[in-house]
Amino acid sequence: IQQQPVERQQMQMQVVLTPRRRRVGVRRGGGCLVTQAPPAQAAKTQAASPSSPPPRFCPLAEGVEDNWTWSKRHRSKEVVLSGPNCRTVHFHPNWSKGTAGVQGKRSLNNGRYYWELHVSQRVFGTSIMFGIGTKSARLHANAFRNMIGENEHSWGLSHKGVLWHKGVALLYTKRFRENHSTQIGVLFDGIEGTVTYYKDGKCLGVAFRGLEQIDEPLYPIVSSTAAKTEMTLKCTRREFVNLQDRCRAVIMRRVRSAAQLEKLKLPLPISDYLGEVMDDREPLRQVDNYDI
C-alpha cells in the first residue's frame, strides 16, 4: 500500500520528462534547416526504429526514412558496390586511371530529400565529388577531372571546396583535410529549387538554385579520381511537402531581397516565414587559376 504513491509519483515524473515534439527550426543566412531535437527525443526515436534512425544532426529529422541505394546499372566500371543494400561505394579498387561515378536510384524532383555520406580517410587526388545530375550526366571518364558539373547535366561540390556547374567553378568553402574521414550531407529542396551542403554537421549554405525549373528527373551522384576511396550512404530522409511551403516557393521566386520583402508590409509572422528561405550570403566568387 505504501508503494502505490511512489509508483504514481514515478508515472507523473515520466509524463513531465517526456519532451514535446519540436518543429524543425530554420536558421537564416544560409537557408539551412537545423534540427535541435532534445536528447531524450533522439533516444526515443532510435529505440522505435533501430534499423534506420536519423543521425544526431539531420535537417529532415521530422521526415520519414527514404530507403534508396546506388544503381548497379548506372555506374562506372571502376565502381564496386557492397555492404547492406549495396550502400557502400568503392572507387577504383586496384588503381586509378580516370574518374568513376555512380548514380543513386532516388528521383529527387518535387520533394525535399536529405542524404548523408561517410567518406573514408582516403581524401586526396584531383577530385572527389558529391552532387546531383540527370540521366545524361557522365559517370566515367578516362581522365582525372571534375566530372560532376562539367556540363549543364549535373551540379557538384569537390573536396577542394569548389562548386561546379556547366564547367564553371565557384569558390564555396574550405578544402577538405586530406587523408581524414568526413561526413557530407546533401539537402535537395525541389520546391525551393536549391541544393545545400553540410560538412560534419555544419551547414555550408545554399550552393545551387533554380533547380525547380529542371524538367528532367534528377538523381544523387558521387564520383572520385582517387584509388580505393569509399563512401557509405548512412542516412536517407525525405519530407512530405505541404501546400503552404509550395505557396512560399512561388512567392519567393519573385521576392529577391529582404528589402523587397519589407516593402510588402506583411504581418510579422508571415514575413518571418517567407524570409526563412532567403539567403543573405555574398555571391560566390568564380575561381580562376585555382588548383582544381
Side-chain angles (χ1 to χ4, degrees):
I1 296 173
Q2 296 177 353
Q3 293 181 353
Q4 289 181 357
V6 177
E7 293 177 356
R8 188 176 295 109
Q9 183 179 5
Q10 290 178 348
M11 292 177 63
Q12 292 175 351
M13 291 177 62
Q14 291 177 359
V15 173
V16 171
L17 294 175
T18 301
R20 294 181 179 178
R21 182 177 179 184
R22 299 182 63 179
R23 296 182 63 188
V24 176
V26 182
R27 180 175 64 196
R28 291 196 185 193
C32 307
L33 303 176
V34 181
T35 300
Q36 296 177 340
Q41 182 179 357
K44 182 179 178 181
T45 304
Q46 292 180 358
S49 181
S51 60
S52 57
R56 180 179 58 83
F57 171 85
C58 179
L60 299 185
E62 296 295 330
V64 296
E65 181 190 3
D66 188 30
N67 192 26
W68 60 268
T69 187
W70 305 108
S71 173
K72 294 181 179 179
R73 179 179 180 184
H74 300 286
R75 61 187 172 101
S76 164
K77 59 185 179 182
E78 291 294 318
V79 164
V80 176
L81 304 178
S82 67
N85 200 22
C86 295
R87 284 194 158 199
T88 297
V89 183
H90 303 267
F91 296 95
H92 314 285
N94 298 313
W95 60 85
S96 176
K97 53 185 178 181
T99 310
V102 61
Q103 178 181 289
K105 290 184 176 181
R106 160 56 65 198
S107 176
L108 299 170
N109 305 56
N110 301 318
R112 289 196 182 103
Y113 301 89
Y114 176 80
W115 60 99
E116 190 172 88
L117 297 154
H118 289 211
V119 187
S120 69
Q121 64 182 10
R122 295 183 63 82
V123 178
F124 65 96
T126 302
S127 181
I128 298 174
M129 302 195 74
F130 321 87
I132 62 172
T134 69
K135 289 282 190 181
S136 300
R138 185 161 58 153
L139 298 176
H140 183 83
N142 292 319
F144 302 126
R145 61 184 301 114
N146 296 284
M147 190 166 63
I148 304 178
E150 64 180 353
N151 53 35
E152 70 276 15
H153 300 300
S154 56
W155 298 254
L157 167 66
S158 80
H159 76 285
K160 294 183 178 179
V162 177
L163 297 174
W164 286 89
H165 178 55
K166 293 185 177 180
V168 176
L170 299 176
L171 187 59
Y172 176 64
T173 188
K174 296 179 180 179
R175 295 186 179 208
F176 300 2
R177 291 183 64 187
E178 290 196 356
N179 299 315
H180 282 77
S181 60
T182 187
Q183 298 180 16
I184 301 298
V186 186
L187 176 63
F188 176 88
D189 190 330
I191 308 304
E192 304 292 343
T194 60
V195 170
T196 301
Y197 288 98
Y198 298 77
K199 186 178 186 299
D200 298 323
K202 179 182 178 182
C203 179
L204 301 179
V206 175
F208 300 107
R209 295 185 179 277
L211 294 164
E212 79 283 355
Q213 301 175 11
I214 305 300
D215 294 327
E216 297 180 71
L218 296 167
Y219 302 88
I221 302 178
V222 291
S223 69
S224 177
T225 61
K228 301 181 181 179
T229 307
E230 291 184 12
M231 298 185 196
T232 301
L233 196 59
K234 288 288 187 178
C235 170
T236 51
R237 309 284 294 178
R238 63 184 173 91
E239 181 181 79
F240 294 108
V241 180
N242 56 37
L243 180 60
Q244 180 174 286
D245 289 341
R246 292 181 180 273
C247 292
R248 176 173 64 179
V250 173
I251 294 171
M252 296 310 292
R253 286 171 196 165
R254 296 183 177 274
V255 179
R256 299 296 184 181
S257 66
Q260 290 180 341
L261 181 60
E262 187 175 353
K263 288 181 180 180
L264 297 178
K265 297 182 179 181
L266 299 169
L268 185 59
I270 297 177
S271 180
D272 287 344
Y273 174 71
L274 294 176
E276 287 175 351
V277 296
M278 188 170 292
D279 187 3
D280 297 330
R281 295 200 330 163
E282 295 276 336
L284 298 177
R285 176 172 60 86
Q286 185 169 341
V287 178
D288 295 317
N289 299 322
Y290 193 77
D291 183 19
I292 49 179

